[in-house]
Amino acid sequence: MERTIYLEDVPRKEALRQLLHHFRTPREVEWVPTIKALGRVTAEPIYAHLSMPHYHASAMDGIAVRAEETFGAHEQRPKQLVQGESFEYVDTGDPIPAGYNAVIMIEHVRELAEGRVEIIEPATPWQHIRPVGEDVVSGEMLLPQGHVIRPVDQGALLAGGILSVPVVKKPVVSIIPTGSELVQPTVDVTPGQIIEFNGTVFAGYIEQWGGSPRYYGIVKDDPEQIKAAILECAETSDIVVLNAGSSAGSEDYTVHLISELGEVFTHGVATRPGKPVVLGKVGDTPVIGLPGYPVSAYLTLEWFVQPLICQYLGLTVPSRAKLDVTLGRRLVSTMGSEDFVRMNIGYVNGKYIANPLTRAAGVTMSLVRADGLLIIPSESLGYEQGEKVTLELYKPVETIRKSILFSGSHDLSIDLLSSLIKERDQDRQIISSHTGSMAGLMAIKKGEAHVAGIHLLDEQSGMYNVPFVRRYLKDQDVVLVRFLQREQGWIVPKGNPHHIHSVRDIVEQNLLYVNRQRGAGTRILFDALLAEHDLSSDDVRGYGREMFSHLNVAAAVKEGTADVGLGIYSAAKALDLDFVPVADESYDLLMSREFYESEGGQLLLDVMVSEAFKIQIEQLGGYKVKDIGQLIPLL
């Protein structure tokens, strides 16, 4: 097939307008039992068959009376009534006996002997009676068309005698994942194989939006197989979604096949991520080619497939709640494309602070961890740190407001803390940004985080953390809380095949090293080790390759793309690697005094010193918890 080199830059909203314009599919109607109609969309107005209530009913436990026979009753002139002649006992919901027109509450009745009662106040006509049709009158509209049925609606329908309802048939959306490298989910994967999980995510979203997902199964990168799958699904579905193969690579067949079998409206939209999307049709069925990278795929699914489903069902595409926030970091964008940036949000010092997660299109966890989404318009070059912007929220603002915003050095213990905190307060958790110790310290200085994890070695004094806090935050009211003593060392393959015991071994054998990012405490320690041996960064092969967490370093060693890295024992243990101890270090928590004394700060402290946390830390290995939770003097 001829390879397409250039993608279009159609504005996203224009591409959607064209797509929706081509499809005005008549909605199919089906009847479903009312008790199974939750979440379905009514296809036409629904009218009551029965009045509700359908008889005059007592609204209270008491006695049914003729109101005119009670007039004149007074506590000084009680009236007596005779059962069967001037009153009858009724319970709530009972029919009102013929000839009676009021109910007196049983609490206001004095019972005498031989079927007689005494009352001391008169009744008014129709008091405490639910007349026929008080709630609904037979023939009255219960629900309009295009209404999403809720539990309370089911109750009203059943009470009105509606046992089955006409609803819009859910549009069938076929999902075709393509790629010779794809395998079904398994733990036994080999290099070059990719677990197919996008299809499961698509199905979940489609069902959530009111569609009926149909998973076709993996189709290899073979034009004839893909063509057969498209034709079959276009015949049996209302919408077809192909995943991967939508770009301009040598095995990206989607645009060619849709064009051959039908018509392509758009190939490429002006967005980042999500640019290589294909919008077209085969016969009368819309066919959407989504990018393979997960973030791109999920965003484009929302942009184009959700509106198709909503149009089919006759619904408006729901909008997310929005929140004005202050940017904690500068964000650069490119003119001409909308930029979709996943963000973490924290409520710090009376304002919402948002920081970007990774912008890579293949990092699924950026959406898992995101609190909100920032859309940078195509005409913007980005925003400066401290600017106010508006985000679309993925989480309730109440949860965001209670979250603890963590910045600084990565450590596996922070995830344990977050889990234990959530056990005590389900609306509170730690939102982590692995920015490195110095960046964490500066986040506290700027009021952009609640807590920073730091392990900064001062070479002159040999002290950890305190000299840096004194130097950079001397005029701020902060506290430094003793957290963990942890082992730093060489993370190496099983058996330590290169016999690494010092930094000189790495240099002399010209081994490939994997580093941490600038400002990370681990990198500062490594630079100190180089200086101790009269070595420089130029002597280390791979010094410029940076990772943002200890687990990333360990993963590079595990995969064989590095011979060694400096990191913590728990990361080596987690990936079943060997570890050569180098130094014990102080990994402490820095926070403002205001947060330390707040409800969230005290909860964090309580969890830190709990037995549950200590037990879990010991299971990780490589940590000591001596004096944990104590304040470290800064003067």
Side-chain angles (χ1 to χ4, degrees):
M1 284 193 175
E2 182 181 347
R3 181 171 174 178
T4 300
I5 303 300
Y6 299 105
L7 300 177
E8 300 172 271
D9 278 316
V10 178
R12 174 176 59 96
K13 291 180 180 178
E14 174 61 20
L16 175 60
R17 189 194 64 77
Q18 291 179 9
L19 178 67
L20 295 178
H21 176 73
H22 279 86
F23 298 103
R24 301 287 180 184
T25 310
R27 301 181 188 93
E28 293 185 36
V29 179
E30 61 182 2
W31 287 79
V32 299
T34 301
I35 60 173
K36 295 184 179 297
L38 183 66
R40 300 300 297 272
V41 180
T42 56
E44 57 191 54
I46 301 175
Y47 299 89
H49 292 166
L50 299 174
S51 293
M52 184 168 56
H54 60 275
Y55 58 88
H56 298 321
S58 175
M60 298 285 177
D61 295 341
I63 61 171
V65 299
R66 286 179 282 271
E68 58 272 17
E69 294 179 356
T70 68
F71 294 164
H74 190 274
E75 59 183 14
Q76 294 178 352
R77 297 184 303 278
K79 278 205 169 191
Q80 289 191 12
L81 304 175
V82 179
Q83 186 176 6
E85 295 180 7
S86 51
F87 85 89
E88 292 287 354
Y89 284 104
V90 289
D91 292 328
T92 302
D94 284 350
I96 299 298
Y100 293 98
N101 64 359
V103 171
I104 299 175
M105 294 172 60
I106 196 67
E107 295 92 327
H108 297 165
V109 173
R110 182 185 176 201
E111 294 182 306
L112 306 174
E114 300 176 351
R116 292 177 177 272
V117 298
E118 187 177 80
I119 60 173
I120 60 173
E121 61 181 22
T124 57
W126 296 100
Q127 95 176 6
H128 302 318
I129 291 177
R130 297 189 66 210
V132 171
E134 177 191 55
D135 195 350
V136 173
V137 178
S138 176
E140 180 181 348
M141 183 191 293
L142 295 175
L143 300 175
Q145 73 268 36
H147 179 88
V148 180
I149 296 175
R150 305 163 298 173
V152 67
D153 301 325
Q154 289 175 293
L157 290 166
L158 292 171
I162 307 298
L163 304 183
S164 62
V165 290
V167 296
V168 180
K169 182 185 77 70
K170 292 184 177 184
V172 175
V173 185
S174 284
I175 301 165
I176 309 173
T178 67
S180 299
E181 73 281 9
L182 298 180
V183 295
Q184 291 295 345
T186 176
V187 295
D188 300 317
V189 287
T190 58
Q193 292 182 332
I194 297 176
I195 291 174
E196 200 295 291
F197 57 85
N198 279 351
T200 297
V201 178
F202 293 171
Y205 279 127
I206 289 163
E207 191 162 356
Q208 195 176 84
W209 297 331
S212 178
R214 180 186 294 167
Y215 186 77
Y216 184 86
I218 297 170
V219 179
K220 301 301 181 184
D221 284 321
D222 177 87
E224 293 305 315
Q225 291 186 41
I226 298 173
K227 185 189 299 185
I230 294 173
L231 286 172
E232 179 182 338
C233 291
E235 284 289 325
T236 58
S237 312
D238 298 295
I239 303 169
V240 178
V241 173
L242 279 86
N243 187 213
S246 65
S247 191
S250 60
E251 293 186 343
D252 289 328
Y253 303 121
T254 299
V255 68
H256 305 291
L257 293 174
I258 296 175
S259 180
E260 178 185 333
L261 299 172
E263 181 182 354
V264 172
F265 314 136
T266 303
H267 184 205
V269 292
T271 64
R272 292 193 319 167
K275 179 182 175 69
V277 70
V278 182
L279 308 177
K281 69 175 183 177
V282 172
D284 292 324
T285 304
V287 182
I288 315 298
L290 303 181
Y293 278 134
V295 176
S296 294
Y298 307 157
L299 288 175
T300 49
L301 186 83
E302 181 179 298
W303 299 338
F304 300 111
V305 177
Q306 184 184 18
L308 278 173
I309 292 173
C310 287
Q311 178 174 276
Y312 185 97
L313 294 172
L315 300 175
T316 301
V317 178
S319 58
R320 294 192 182 93
K322 292 180 170 60
L323 182 69
D324 292 334
V325 302
T326 300
L327 285 179
R329 290 186 225 157
R330 185 173 186 243
L331 280 175
V332 177
S333 187
T334 303
M335 289 278 282
S337 290
E338 282 183 292
D339 221 339
F340 292 77
V341 187
R342 287 77 69 199
M343 307 288 287
N344 273 152
I345 311 169
Y347 189 69
V348 187
N349 297 333
K351 60 182 178 180
Y352 293 99
I353 302 292
N355 287 303
L357 291 154
T358 176
R359 295 165 79 171
V363 183
T364 310
M365 289 304 294
S366 68
L367 275 174
V368 173
R369 294 187 174 125
D371 299 310
L373 184 71
L374 172 63
I375 304 175
I376 303 178
S378 59
E379 64 273 14
S380 172
L381 288 172
Y383 301 106
E384 294 297 329
Q385 181 183 21
E387 272 197 72
K388 286 281 187 71
V389 295
T390 301
L391 303 190
E392 294 184 359
L393 294 183
Y394 286 134
K395 296 178 182 176
V397 70
E398 294 82 6
T399 300
I400 292 170
R401 191 179 179 93
K402 294 184 73 174
S403 294
I404 298 171
L405 201 60
F406 177 94
S407 184
S409 175
H410 167 258
D411 193 275
L412 279 68
S413 62
I414 303 305
D415 292 331
L416 297 183
L417 273 180
S418 183
S419 177
L420 290 170
I421 284 171
K422 198 167 181 62
E423 282 184 13
R424 298 199 189 186
D425 184 344
Q426 65 180 14
D427 291 326
R428 201 183 297 270
Q429 61 181 332
I430 295 177
I431 304 297
S432 303
S433 294
H434 304 148
T435 57
S437 291
M438 277 303 300
L441 185 147
M442 297 311 292
I444 296 295
K445 179 181 177 68
K446 296 173 184 175
E448 296 167 357
H450 295 113
V451 184
I454 60 174
H455 60 112
L456 296 164
L457 174 63
D458 180 63
E459 292 183 49
Q460 291 185 340
S461 65
M463 291 180 65
Y464 270 94
N465 301 325
V466 172
F468 288 86
V469 177
R470 288 173 178 168
R471 188 179 312 152
Y472 292 101
L473 285 81
K474 60 182 178 180
D475 297 325
Q476 292 185 241
D477 193 8
V478 297
V479 295
L480 187 64
V481 181
R482 194 168 302 287
F483 189 36
L484 299 171
Q485 295 291 306
R486 64 182 190 180
E487 283 186 306
Q488 283 266 25
W490 306 119
I491 298 176
V492 295
K494 274 291 194 183
N496 191 9
H498 299 291
H499 307 290
I500 298 168
H501 295 284
S502 75
V503 69
R504 188 166 292 281
D505 295 330
I506 298 171
V507 172
E508 288 179 352
Q509 297 182 65
N510 196 31
L511 299 178
L512 189 57
Y513 180 75
V514 58
N515 209 350
R516 289 293 306 281
Q517 77 273 26
R518 189 182 302 274
T522 301
R523 180 160 173 159
I524 292 172
L525 174 60
F526 184 71
D527 290 343
L529 293 172
L530 288 175
E532 184 182 317
H533 288 81
D534 295 321
L535 298 169
S536 77
S537 59
D538 294 335
D539 298 320
V540 181
R541 189 161 66 99
Y543 182 90
R545 184 185 178 194
E546 298 181 343
M547 296 292 175
F548 283 83
S549 77
H550 295 285
L551 284 175
N552 290 145
V553 170
V557 175
K558 182 77 172 182
E559 294 161 3
T561 60
D563 297 312
V564 59
L566 186 62
I568 56 177
Y569 171 79
S570 57
K573 180 184 176 184
L575 273 69
D576 194 29
L577 297 166
D578 273 359
F579 181 82
V580 181
V582 171
D584 285 335
E585 65 175 11
S586 296
Y587 179 65
D588 300 319
L589 301 183
L590 177 67
M591 60 193 84
S592 69
R593 185 172 299 278
E594 180 182 2
F595 174 74
Y596 173 77
E597 294 175 351
S598 72
E599 180 185 353
Q602 289 302 297
L603 176 59
L604 173 65
L605 191 68
D606 287 346
V607 170
M608 281 169 53
V609 300
S610 69
E611 278 303 311
F613 179 67
K614 291 177 182 177
I615 290 170
Q616 292 191 27
I617 278 295
E618 287 175 2
Q619 291 173 349
L620 283 179
Y623 297 99
K624 297 175 185 174
V625 293
K626 182 182 179 183
D627 299 330
I628 187 170
Q630 292 188 9
L631 295 183
I632 301 172
L634 294 175
L635 298 178

